[in-house]
Amino acid sequence: MNEIVRIENLTKNYVSQSETLNVLKGVNLVVQKGERVCVIGESGNGKSTLLNVLGGIDEASGGLVKAGDYELTKMTEDQLTEYRSTFVGLIFQFHYLLKDFTALENIFLPAYMAGVSKASAMDKAKKLLADVGLSERAGHLPSQLSGGERQRIAVARALVNDPQLILADEPTGNLDPANAAMIGDLLFDMTRRYNKSLLLVTHDMNLARKGDRLLEMKDGVLNQK
C-alpha cells in the first residue's frame, strides 16, 4: 500500500489576547491508501482540530501536512478550495444539508458546482442515493427525513466527487444507538466498496473498533491505542 496521508510534528495553536492555547503538540500520523483509521479521545484533546487541519479548513501552526500530492502547509486558498472539492470528502456530526434542497439535490450540488455536467452529476447522485438505500426519499427535504436518513445523505454527498480520502468527525454523535450502528456500518461498507481511505474521530468505541487501526488523541498527541 502507498501512503495517502503523512503528518509530521503537526502543531496547532490558538492565540487570544490573554493566552496561547496549544491544541496539537507534535502530531505524527501516516495513513495508507485504503486504510480506515479511527481516533478516539475525550473532548478538547484535539481530534476535531486534526481533521480540520487535514481537511484544509484550519491552518497548521507548524509541521508537515501532506495528503496525496497536496502539501497543505504550502497551498494558497484557491488550491485549498480545489483540494476540499476534489480530494477529500467531509462528514460531520451535524449533517449540514441545505434545508431548501431535496435529498437528491443535496448530493448532486457538490458535483455540479465542481464542474461536472448536470446529467453526469445527477447520475452520480442517483447512484449514491440508491447505495445508501434512500432512492424513495429523493424528493424529500431534510426536514422530512429522520436523523439517520439525513446522515446517510451526508455520507452519499461526501462521496459524490470521488474523493480519495474521507474525513469523518463524530458522524454518529448526534444519533440514537440503533441509527449510530447503522451509519457506522454504512460508512465502513461504502468506503470499502469505493476503495476510499478513511480517518474517523469518535467517542463511540463500537464504531472505532470497526477500523483497521485504533489511535488515541490525548493532550494534543496521537498514540497507538
Side-chain angles (χ1 to χ4, degrees), residues 109-141:
L109 277 169
Y112 185 57
M113 292 173 67
V116 177
S117 73
K118 188 172 183 178
S120 181
M122 188 57 73
D123 285 345
K124 282 183 166 191
K126 287 178 178 176
K127 184 179 187 309
L128 283 163
L129 194 64
D131 285 344
V132 298
L134 289 176
S135 291
E136 78 285 356
R137 309 289 269 168
H140 287 66
L141 297 172

Side-chain angles (χ1 to χ4, degrees), residues 1-18:
M1 285 196 293
N2 301 318
E3 65 186 36
I4 191 166
V5 171
R6 174 168 289 274
I7 294 173
E8 296 177 355
N9 199 30
L10 169 62
T11 58
K12 178 60 185 175
N13 308 320
Y14 292 100
V15 182
S16 68
Q17 289 183 330
S18 58

Side-chain angles (χ1 to χ4, degrees), residues 88-92 94-98 103 105-111 125 128-129 132 150-163 166 190:
V88 290
L90 303 169
I91 304 168
F92 301 97
F94 301 101
H95 54 79
Y96 295 118
L97 299 180
L98 300 170
E105 289 167 340
N106 265 283
I107 303 169
F108 157 84
L109 277 169
L128 283 163
L129 194 64
V132 298
R150 288 193 289 264
Q151 202 65 325
R152 282 151 75 183
I153 299 298
V155 170
R157 179 184 57 186
L159 287 161
V160 74
N161 281 333
D162 197 26
I166 299 292
M190 293 288 278

Side-chain angles (χ1 to χ4, degrees), residues 22-223:
N22 308 116
V23 180
L24 300 178
K25 304 174 182 177
V27 171
N28 296 288
L29 173 66
V30 174
V31 179
Q32 302 295 334
K33 283 185 179 177
E35 190 178 21
R36 280 83 57 79
V37 177
C38 295
V39 179
I40 60 166
E42 296 299 319
S43 294
N45 277 271
K47 302 189 308 299
S48 293
T49 302
L50 171 63
L51 281 199
N52 286 341
V53 171
L54 187 54
I57 297 168
D58 215 342
E59 192 176 340
S61 299
L64 171 76
V65 182
K66 192 171 182 185
D69 294 328
Y70 294 93
E71 193 167 333
L72 275 70
T73 43
K74 295 183 177 179
M75 284 158 57
T76 66
E77 190 52 50
D78 284 347
Q79 290 170 326
L80 285 168
T81 299
E82 181 207 348
Y83 168 78
R84 287 191 295 264
S85 67
T86 60
F87 192 85
V88 290
L90 303 169
I91 304 168
F92 301 97
Q93 178 173 348
F94 301 101
H95 54 79
Y96 295 118
L97 299 180
L98 300 170
K99 64 184 179 64
D100 295 325
F101 291 85
T102 66
L104 182 62
E105 289 167 340
N106 265 283
I107 303 169
F108 157 84
L109 277 169
Y112 185 57
M113 292 173 67
V116 177
S117 73
K118 188 172 183 178
S120 181
M122 188 57 73
D123 285 345
K124 282 183 166 191
K126 287 178 178 176
K127 184 179 187 309
L128 283 163
L129 194 64
D131 285 344
V132 298
L134 289 176
S135 291
E136 78 285 356
R137 309 289 269 168
H140 287 66
L141 297 172
S143 60
Q144 299 169 311
L145 302 172
S146 70
E149 287 172 334
R150 288 193 289 264
Q151 202 65 325
R152 282 151 75 183
I153 299 298
V155 170
R157 179 184 57 186
L159 287 161
V160 74
N161 281 333
D162 197 26
Q164 294 189 43
L165 176 65
I166 299 292
L167 303 177
D169 189 0
E170 297 283 2
T172 64
N174 213 32
L175 301 173
D176 61 79
N179 271 308
M182 180 269 292
I183 289 294
D185 288 342
L186 175 70
L187 185 54
F188 281 95
D189 175 59
M190 293 288 278
T191 50
R192 184 180 299 110
R193 186 187 312 179
Y194 284 99
N195 194 28
K196 305 301 179 189
S197 308
L198 173 67
L199 183 61
L200 180 150
V201 305
T202 183
H203 284 97
D204 183 348
M205 279 302 300
N206 290 324
L207 179 59
R209 290 191 186 99
K210 295 177 187 289
D212 302 315
R213 187 155 48 110
L214 180 57
L215 304 173
E216 182 177 21
M217 181 75 84
K218 191 169 185 180
D219 195 27
V221 179
L222 204 52
N223 296 298

